[in-house]
Amino acid sequence: MPNEPAPQAPTTDRLPVAVFTARDAFELSLREAKVYSSSTLVPKDYQDNVANAMIALNMAKRIGADPLMTMQNLYIVHGRPAWSGQFLIAAFNQCGRFSAMRFETRGDVNDAKDGTAGMRAYATEKATKERIVGPWVTWAMVKGEGWDAKNGSKWKTIPELMFHYRAGAFMVRTHAPDIAMGLQTSEELQDSIGPVDVTQTGSAEVVSAVERVKQQLHEKATGETVDKETGAITSDRPALALDGNAPPALSYAEVRDRIEKAKDRDTLDMAAGFIDGLPPQFHAELHEIVKQRR
């Protein structure tokens, strides 16, 4: 109809009744949770686990988000739930109370030597037309908190993306804490407790003592060792020469190891970038592995 009001984005005062506040809502959500828990499309933490699915449904209803999207972006890190950084930004943008989140940079965020370089998020509150800004995240903060010192830290490889995630999380936490519901992001937990393996199934697991034992067995079998501080892989075998000149920055074993252990497309692309630095006889094999990993 021409005079029908346009649909509006959900806000916290128009959200559905939370799962555990009324009997009817609980019984309806229980049936929903059984459906989700029986699906193979949800992460493994919710498959055949009605209780986890119920809790995720409750969180989705409270913030006005899609349940499946919530489950796919709510990771269990060392027994603690955590949002993905991109989900927190998306939830902020879709809550209907603010304009889309934007980011302001200062200096070159890819230059780790510039302590003042950083990023912050900003938006406009629709009700008051007031411009709101989040705290600055700078390289001085990153280094002071030791976020870039963890093994496998993404601050060393994709700092600009990490600045976006961290600045967005700070913005939500200071101006819309109800969206985060008091939870940290998976990136924040990774920076505070060490390497986190966010698997393709949507669950997140902290590198454990079992993994360290596997690593030691790998070292004995291959002659390769892993630096406990930097995570760099070295080999007892002599480095391969490149056209009779200086050896390449990474050996064949190191490049292949990075390709096989890449957990996402960005990391895989970076690992594949080292292939051209190896002798030509290795190119076809490694490019084929990259293709299969994709």
Side-chain angles (χ1 to χ4, degrees), residues 19-20 26 29-38 44-59 71 74 76:
V19 170
F20 301 107
F26 179 85
S29 296
L30 180 60
R31 291 197 294 270
E32 288 184 71
K34 289 179 179 178
V35 174
Y36 281 111
S37 64
S38 63
K44 68 177 184 180
D45 290 308
Y46 306 100
Q47 294 177 15
D48 299 317
N49 193 325
V50 177
N52 278 7
M54 278 282 284
I55 292 172
L57 278 173
N58 182 60
M59 298 178 77
M71 293 180 191
L74 181 63
I76 309 302

Side-chain angles (χ1 to χ4, degrees), residues 1-10 14:
M1 297 289 291
N3 296 326
E4 243 182 54
Q8 297 183 1
R14 294 196 297 273

Side-chain angles (χ1 to χ4, degrees), residues 68-80:
L68 180 59
M69 183 175 68
T70 300
M71 293 180 191
Q72 290 175 335
N73 288 277
L74 181 63
Y75 301 118
I76 309 302
V77 182
H78 210 35
R80 298 165 61 183

